[in-house]
């Protein structure tokens, strides 16, 4: 069974930086690793994702500020966030998708708060 463990998150001032990390285990078929975020009353939205062959996708709102990277041998993914804004405040969820299987797998979520 696929499990995702997240690291990082916390409180940061506007303009600051933060790194989120996630380690996936339980599968050698992981294709996509990435991050979604969610605020109360809103749908979960894609922040960034990276495929096993290195293709990346970013939400328009984070392009140029966030960078996603992965170590496919270790099934880990990092999200480096810079120039953080209060509107980046959310619970961030790591997710992964395996080859040949339709469902996403989710981490437990980690809070990121951007506030002065």
């Amino acid at each position: 069974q696929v499990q995702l463990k997240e690291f990082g998150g916390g409180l940061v001032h506007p303009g600051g930086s933060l790194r989120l990390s996630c380690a996936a285990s339980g599968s050698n078929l992981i294709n996509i690793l990435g991050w979604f975020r969610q605020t109360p009353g809103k749908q979960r939205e894609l922040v960034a994702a990276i495929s096993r062959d290195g293709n990346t996708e970013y939400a328009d709102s984070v392009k140029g500020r966030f960078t996603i990277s992965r170590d496919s041998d270790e099934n880990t993914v990092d999200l480096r966030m810079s120039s953080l804004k209060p509107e980046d405040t959310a619970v961030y969820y790591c997710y992964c998708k395996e080859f040949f299987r339709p469902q996403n797998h989710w981490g437990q979520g980690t809070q990121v708060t951007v506030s002065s």
Side-chain angles (χ1 to χ4, degrees):
Q1 184 173 350
V2 177
Q3 292 187 319
L4 297 166
K5 188 172 179 64
E6 297 145 339
F7 304 89
L11 174 65
V12 63
H13 293 307
S17 299
L18 207 59
R19 186 179 79 173
L20 303 180
S21 298
C22 176
S25 60
S27 173
N28 59 1
L29 294 176
I30 292 174
N31 179 16
I32 297 171
L33 284 165
W35 296 88
F36 275 68
R37 67 186 180 188
Q38 189 171 24
T39 54
K42 292 190 177 180
Q43 281 193 325
R44 200 171 288 190
E45 64 171 357
L46 176 69
V47 177
I50 183 167
S51 65
R52 192 172 186 91
D53 59 4
N55 289 322
T56 57
E57 180 181 0
Y58 293 94
D60 287 342
S61 59
V62 307
K63 284 179 182 176
R65 300 188 298 120
F66 291 12
T67 302
I68 191 167
S69 61
R70 73 183 283 171
D71 182 332
S72 291
D73 290 337
E74 299 293 330
N75 275 337
T76 59
V77 61
D78 281 357
L79 183 68
R80 296 179 184 272
M81 305 182 289
S82 62
S83 302
L84 282 160
K85 305 174 181 180
E87 50 263 44
D88 294 316
T89 296
V91 177
Y92 284 70
Y93 295 91
C94 179
Y95 90 105
C96 76
K97 189 175 175 66
E98 299 172 277
F99 288 105
F100 318 120
R101 294 170 183 169
Q103 72 270 27
N104 290 336
H105 301 278
W106 299 95
Q108 77 280 5
T110 185
Q111 178 70 45
V112 171
T113 301
V114 184
S115 174
S116 54

